[in-house]
Amino acid sequence: MNKPASGDKYRHFKGMVINVIAVGKNTETLEEMVVYEHEWDIWIRPLKMFMSKVDKNKYPDCKQEFRFEKLEKWHYCHFFKICLVLKTDI
């Protein structure tokens, strides 16, 4: 799996879609961190955790292999079109 880059979209194994803002380093430990946005909140998570597999013991019904899986452009365009249609129908 490739390292995330600014602008990439990922689906969390619980279903939400996030937008990667940047990958940086912790100033004290130099550990690589992923900075991402979800519903107007900014989150930071260690790259190792971001790229990790879902704990199947804790989440046995999860179909996704990794905690975050990259969405190709057509996936997230389709996802947002559906959201826009649903939102305008409300």
Side-chain angles (χ1 to χ4, degrees):
M1 188 184 250
N2 293 331
K3 187 160 69 168
S6 179
D8 287 348
K9 304 270 191 272
Y10 282 79
R11 179 180 293 115
H12 187 270
F13 74 95
K14 293 181 180 175
M16 62 241 183
V17 174
I18 63 96
N19 179 50
V20 174
I21 297 170
V23 176
K25 291 184 181 182
N26 180 303
T27 60
E28 301 298 317
T29 65
L30 300 180
E31 179 181 16
E32 286 190 289
M33 308 292 279
V34 179
V35 181
Y36 62 94
E37 178 182 25
H38 173 254
E39 294 184 352
W40 302 282
D41 284 326
I42 305 298
W43 301 88
I44 300 169
R45 184 183 298 259
L47 177 63
K48 186 175 179 179
M49 182 186 289
F50 188 93
M51 305 290 285
S52 68
K53 290 187 175 187
V54 174
D55 182 345
K56 295 294 185 171
N57 293 322
K58 192 172 180 181
Y59 302 99
D61 297 329
C62 180
K63 305 219 182 319
Q64 200 165 292
E65 181 180 2
F66 293 95
R67 180 179 295 271
F68 290 93
E69 291 188 351
K70 186 174 180 182
L71 296 175
E72 297 305 322
K73 188 167 187 157
W74 71 270
H75 283 125
Y76 65 80
C77 286
H78 183 69
F79 175 80
F80 288 113
K81 283 180 187 174
I82 290 170
C83 288
L84 287 174
V85 169
L86 292 174
K87 195 169 192 174
T88 57
D89 287 346
I90 295 174

